[in-house]
Amino acid sequence: MRYSCLALLFIAQLSFAQKKQITLEDIWVKNTFRTKVVPGFNAMTDGKLYTQIDKEGDRQLLRIYDLKTGKQERTIFDNGERTLDGKQLSLDDYAFSKDEKKILIRNESQPIYRRSALYRSYVYDMATGKVLQVDTAKVLHAGFSPDGNKVAFVSGNNLYYKDLKTGGTVAVTTDGEVNKIINGNCDWVYEEEFGFTRAFEWSPDSKHLAFYRFDESNVPQYILPMYTGLYPNNYTYKYPKAGEPNSVVQIKVYDVNSARTVTANVGTETDQYIPRIKWTKDASKLCVYRLNRLQNKLELLLADAGTGNSSIIYTEENPYYVE
């Protein structure tokens, strides 16, 4: 349980007599000093409504409210009524398709690192009332394509998408391997140091899927004992200490219609960082951020989605560090 610095400062400034009256129950049971927060909600695209999850007994209800008045408009998902194979679908997290006609439901979260977690993921179609499971296993980063007809996700270090019209699953990559090749998901360094973990982006027209490919074959391994029972299990993962090799990163672009993948030209230097990729308004152009390992030179590359050819459109340098 975490408390804000202000709460701790408040306790520190209390008089000795006041401190004597504070009990462990105040801190751990009554939550007397716990920071108050606003319950989670998501604004809708019209800017007038928002959604939030309400609990009634063992049921979770996703409801729409008016931002101006706070008045409840309607319930759009009730996990007591909408089930899959007779099983209630708990809502750990949710996201709308761009047209807000479908809801991506995530539950049974299983944390990996600071920002990553596996979820069981489902799509609820509000028009038909049907629930479709994205994959039988827990997956990473399930997310709608802009047209709402597909859901991309990562499983077993490979990138896939679920076609919501046909119900079929398409493998975008097949070479993923633990502690060797990662597709569509960040390695430990990128997740921790660059603050993101989903390593793929749909193009605005849903025709292309750009993604990272991490080759961490030469990254040294680190072993952590995991104390989950009487005897610990060893968890092995790729962790580069200072001066050791990082993953070699490539940016790939997959064409949904042709099932063809091209590699964006990010230069011949492999000991570098690609901290971001962003699609431009022109759905055939991908902006790739290229940063040297010293992190004092940043370049923006404009890559063609069909050929992978790129050109530098912006350069920023600093003797010390580029934010």
Side-chain angles (χ1 to χ4, degrees):
M1 189 178 295
R2 298 180 180 177
Y3 295 90
S4 70
C5 292
L6 288 175
L8 295 174
L9 182 62
F10 171 75
I11 295 173
Q13 291 177 340
L14 295 175
S15 68
F16 179 74
Q18 290 172 317
K19 288 178 181 177
K20 285 183 66 176
Q21 297 174 15
I22 297 174
T23 65
L24 287 175
E25 283 74 19
D26 286 316
I27 298 173
W28 300 112
V29 178
K30 298 178 183 178
N31 296 325
T32 303
F33 303 105
R34 188 173 187 178
T35 306
K36 286 182 168 56
V37 297
V38 177
F41 65 91
N42 293 299
M44 302 194 77
T45 54
D46 64 2
K48 298 177 181 179
L49 304 171
Y50 71 92
T51 61
Q52 71 177 32
I53 300 171
D54 296 328
K55 293 184 178 180
E56 291 184 2
D58 63 348
R59 294 166 66 182
Q60 290 176 297
L61 301 101
L62 183 58
R63 287 171 169 158
I64 296 178
Y65 289 84
D66 187 291
L67 268 169
K68 187 175 182 179
T69 66
K71 181 181 177 182
Q72 178 188 318
E73 295 285 320
R74 66 184 185 276
T75 299
I76 55 175
F77 185 82
D78 179 347
N79 76 339
E81 295 178 356
R82 303 297 177 185
T83 61
L84 185 67
D85 298 328
K87 180 183 177 183
Q88 268 193 336
L89 300 177
S90 60
L91 280 75
D92 289 357
D93 190 20
Y94 67 95
F96 286 97
S97 57
K98 188 176 181 180
D99 61 9
E100 297 182 334
K101 294 181 179 180
K102 299 184 183 79
I103 305 171
L104 185 65
I105 296 167
R106 306 184 186 99
N107 60 29
E108 296 185 33
S109 63
Q110 181 181 330
I112 302 174
Y113 299 132
R114 187 194 298 263
R115 296 176 177 86
S116 54
L118 291 160
Y119 289 94
R120 295 203 185 279
S121 301
Y122 308 84
V123 173
Y124 171 61
D125 188 319
M126 287 189 282
T128 64
K130 293 182 178 179
V131 177
L132 176 68
Q133 189 168 10
V134 172
D135 194 71
T136 55
K138 291 183 180 181
V139 301
L140 285 160
H141 316 312
F144 285 113
S145 58
D147 62 11
N149 292 326
K150 300 174 182 66
V151 173
F153 63 93
V154 174
S155 180
N157 282 12
N158 280 311
L159 179 62
Y160 300 85
Y161 71 82
K162 182 87 166 184
D163 190 318
L164 301 181
K165 288 186 174 180
T166 66
T169 299
V170 176
V172 176
T173 69
T174 57
D175 62 342
E177 186 177 338
V178 174
N179 285 337
K180 188 174 181 181
I181 302 295
I182 308 172
N183 294 293
N185 181 49
C186 286
D187 70 352
W188 185 92
V189 170
Y190 273 61
E191 177 171 342
E192 182 64 23
E193 304 300 340
F194 290 121
F196 74 105
T197 179
R198 191 187 78 173
F200 65 82
E201 294 289 341
W202 283 102
S203 63
D205 59 5
S206 303
K207 293 181 180 179
H208 292 91
L209 193 54
F211 63 95
Y212 284 69
R213 180 184 187 269
F214 292 85
D215 185 343
E216 53 180 4
S217 304
N218 295 323
V219 178
Q221 292 190 155
Y222 198 89
I223 299 174
L224 284 176
M226 304 293 285
Y227 295 92
T228 55
L230 182 60
Y231 293 92
N233 294 313
N234 286 333
Y235 176 71
T236 303
Y237 69 110
K238 296 299 184 111
Y239 178 86
K241 293 188 177 184
E244 294 296 325
N246 279 323
S247 296
V248 175
V249 180
Q250 293 178 306
I251 301 301
K252 304 279 189 175
V253 182
Y254 176 83
D255 186 310
V256 173
N257 292 326
S258 68
R260 177 173 171 263
T261 300
V262 299
T263 303
N265 182 5
V266 296
T268 57
E269 177 62 66
T270 58
D271 192 19
Q272 63 182 0
Y273 298 115
I274 310 293
R276 295 288 186 273
I277 58 172
K278 302 285 183 182
W279 284 99
T280 66
K281 289 184 178 180
D282 178 353
S284 67
K285 303 294 183 183
L286 179 73
C287 184
V288 180
Y289 291 45
R290 181 170 69 187
L291 185 67
N292 64 338
R293 186 157 180 177
L294 287 176
Q295 299 186 50
N296 60 7
K297 183 179 181 180
L298 172 69
E299 295 169 300
L300 302 189
L301 311 177
L302 195 62
D304 185 275
T307 65
N309 295 335
S310 68
S311 59
I312 300 172
I313 58 172
Y314 174 81
T315 302
E316 181 177 341
E317 295 186 66
N318 187 292
Y320 311 105
Y321 176 74
V322 175
E323 175 63 45

